[in-house]
Amino acid sequence: AQSVTQLGSHVSVSEGALVLLRCNYSSSVPPYLFWYVQYPNQGLQLLLKYTTGATLVKGINGFEAEFKKSETSFHLTKPSAHMSDAAEYFCAVKRAGGTSYGKLTFGQGTILTVHP
Amino acid sequence: EAQVTQNPRYLITVTGKKLTVTCSQNMNHEYMSWYRQDPGLGLRQIYYSMNVEVTDKGDVPEGYKVSRKEKRNFPLILESPSPNQTSLYFCASSLGTGTYNEQFFGPGTRLTVL
């Protein structure tokens, strides 16, 4: 079975500061990893994804994440936070093979607050 | 515009009163799925459908039904809602089940069962 753990249900940063949202996964087979963002009263939007190849993945809105197999991690970062980054962020994993049938397994979410 | 739509967006109902939440996508996607979102638990899959007339249970299917009679529609049915089904529900679709296929999410339906 696969699982995702997001460390910290709430993260607060100042505008202009580094954003770091942590995600660790557990999977018996090589995983495909995703970060989604949910703005208030909206659905989920894909920020970035890791499938194969380069382990440093760049996404929209200046976010990036690095897949570290040895640490089973896929942390999300942004060098400089903007007020518009305030949202809830979800890490998710999908199996690379087997009977996954497209299922995404989500972490519990991290609410990012950005202070002026 | 390519999108996944859900109706209603907000619903307050009482225990035992049957309800249906509709989901429709206009992208000719084969795969559709329902999730519920609860604080501290993230999103959990309720049911999914690989194609027309092909549906299967996800992680939390108890108390829910689905149908897939047309490719574009995937309604979620609560035959006898209970308060523990109060949640935020999301429908999602993707072209296929492959890992390269991005899932597109609807705007969500906030359900309260009294």
Side-chain angles (χ1 to χ4, degrees), chain A residues 32 38 90 101-103 107-108, chain B residues 31 37 48 59 90 99 103:
Chain A
Y32 292 157
Q38 183 181 30
F90 292 94
Y101 297 128
K103 175 187 168 184
Q108 65 270 47
Chain B
Y31 181 87
Q37 181 184 5
Y48 65 91
D59 295 322
F90 287 100
T99 48
Q103 285 198 25

Side-chain angles (χ1 to χ4, degrees), chain B residues 36-89:
Chain B
R36 60 177 288 173
Q37 181 184 5
D38 301 292
L41 297 177
L43 280 79
R44 294 175 292 169
Q45 191 183 54
I46 303 171
Y47 268 94
Y48 65 91
S49 170
M50 303 278 284
N51 212 325
V52 174
E53 302 293 1
V54 181
T55 64
D56 207 347
K57 297 176 181 179
D59 295 322
V60 288
E62 294 77 18
Y64 304 94
K65 286 176 57 176
V66 292
S67 69
R68 187 94 181 271
K69 292 183 171 55
E70 305 167 281
K71 197 171 188 178
R72 63 183 293 129
N73 296 324
F74 190 46
L76 179 69
I77 303 156
L78 285 72
E79 294 270 2
S80 182
S82 63
N84 64 11
Q85 293 178 296
T86 293
S87 187
L88 179 58
Y89 292 86

Side-chain angles (χ1 to χ4, degrees), chain A residues 32 34 36 38 41-44 46 49 51-52 88 90 94-96 100-104 106-109, chain B residues 9-10 31 35 37 40-45 48 50 59 88 90 97-103 105-108:
Chain A
Y32 292 157
F34 305 80
Y36 284 85
Q38 183 181 30
N41 298 313
Q42 295 187 27
L44 277 73
L46 182 66
K49 63 183 178 183
T51 53
T52 57
E88 188 163 15
F90 292 94
K94 183 191 288 190
R95 282 168 57 108
S100 61
Y101 297 128
K103 175 187 168 184
L104 286 168
F106 286 87
Q108 65 270 47
Chain B
R9 293 290 311 280
Y10 302 91
Y31 181 87
Y35 295 87
Q37 181 184 5
L41 297 177
L43 280 79
R44 294 175 292 169
Q45 191 183 54
Y48 65 91
M50 303 278 284
D59 295 322
L88 179 58
F90 287 100
T97 59
T99 48
Y100 293 93
N101 296 140
E102 177 185 346
Q103 285 198 25
F105 285 80

Side-chain angles (χ1 to χ4, degrees), chain B residues 5 23-29 32 52 68-74:
Chain B
T5 57
C23 172
S24 183
Q25 50 89 8
N26 62 1
M27 297 170 277
N28 201 35
H29 284 171
M32 297 186 74
V52 174
R68 187 94 181 271
K69 292 183 171 55
E70 305 167 281
K71 197 171 188 178
R72 63 183 293 129
N73 296 324
F74 190 46

